[in-house]
């Protein structure tokens, strides 16, 4: 007897843009400078809780949120170093990430990255392709 087998295969859609930021500043201080430079209003929200280690307590990461109301684009400022580990361990050189959900124009994105790079305390701000990150599931919330 031959059984027909069907396999369900799905891919998670990473419909966000990721900017990695390297700086020595605390999260509230770099958010203040980004707010000032870009006319944003990042506001601290509850920490992001991620189950990184199986059977252990969730790791907490600082989280700030801002939204462009005209285009409903959400900006999340997330700390890479948490209470007990890294959100994206393969990019340990990044101190923070800005995750942009929903639509952002390429020109706006390039302007955003270049403006962040002009902040004197920022060592580097670069766009990262989420599909190339091994621990990308940690960024889904």
């Amino acid at each position: 007897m031959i059984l027909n087998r069907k396999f369900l295969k799905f891919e998670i859609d990473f419909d966000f843009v990721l900017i990695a930021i390297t700086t020595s500043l605390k999260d509230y201080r770099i958010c203040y400078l980004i707010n000032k430079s870009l006319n944003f209003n990042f506001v601290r929200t509850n920490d992001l809780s991620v189950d990184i280690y199986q059977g252990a307590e969730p790791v907490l990461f600082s989280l700030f949120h801002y939204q462009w109301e005209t285009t409903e684009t959400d900006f999340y400022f997330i700390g890479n170093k948490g209470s007990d580990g890294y959100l994206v361990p393969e990019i340990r050189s990044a101190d923070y990430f800005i995750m942009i959900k929903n639509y952002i124009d390429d020109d706006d994105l390039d302007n955003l990255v270049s403006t962040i790079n002009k902040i004197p305390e920022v060592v580097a701000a670069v766009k990262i392709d989420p599909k190339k990150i091994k621990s990308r599931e940690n960024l889904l919330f």
Side-chain angles (χ1 to χ4, degrees), residues 27-28 31 41-47 61-65:
D27 53 4
Y28 61 89
C31 274
N41 188 22
F42 273 117
V43 176
R44 178 112 191 198
T45 61
N46 292 333
D47 286 347
F61 300 93
S62 62
L63 181 65
F64 295 76
H65 179 253

Side-chain angles (χ1 to χ4, degrees), residues 3 5 28 55 67 70 86 95 126:
L3 296 175
R5 292 187 184 182
Y28 61 89
Q67 182 180 38
T70 54
Y86 288 91
D95 297 303
V126 293

Side-chain angles (χ1 to χ4, degrees), residues 43-120:
V43 176
R44 178 112 191 198
T45 61
N46 292 333
D47 286 347
L48 177 64
S49 176
V50 180
D51 292 322
I52 293 179
Y53 307 111
Q54 198 72 9
E57 291 290 318
V59 181
L60 301 175
F61 300 93
S62 62
L63 181 65
F64 295 76
H65 179 253
Y66 171 67
Q67 182 180 38
W68 278 348
E69 294 187 10
T70 54
T71 59
E72 295 184 1
T73 303
D74 288 310
F75 297 87
Y76 295 94
F77 184 86
I78 311 163
N80 190 28
K81 178 88 168 107
S83 58
D84 191 30
Y86 288 91
L87 181 65
V88 182
E90 59 268 25
I91 309 179
R92 290 178 186 238
S93 61
D95 297 303
Y96 304 101
F97 294 104
I98 293 181
M99 178 189 295
I100 305 167
K101 291 187 177 183
N102 297 333
Y103 176 76
I104 186 166
D105 185 64
D106 286 338
D107 293 334
D108 288 340
L109 180 61
D110 291 338
N111 183 37
L112 188 102
V113 172
S114 67
T115 303
I116 292 172
N117 274 316
K118 289 178 185 172
I119 298 173

Side-chain angles (χ1 to χ4, degrees), residues 7-14 136-137 140:
F7 294 95
L8 178 62
K9 184 178 176 183
F10 73 96
E11 287 187 28
I12 299 172
D13 185 24
F14 296 100
R136 59 188 169 260
E137 285 83 18
L140 297 176

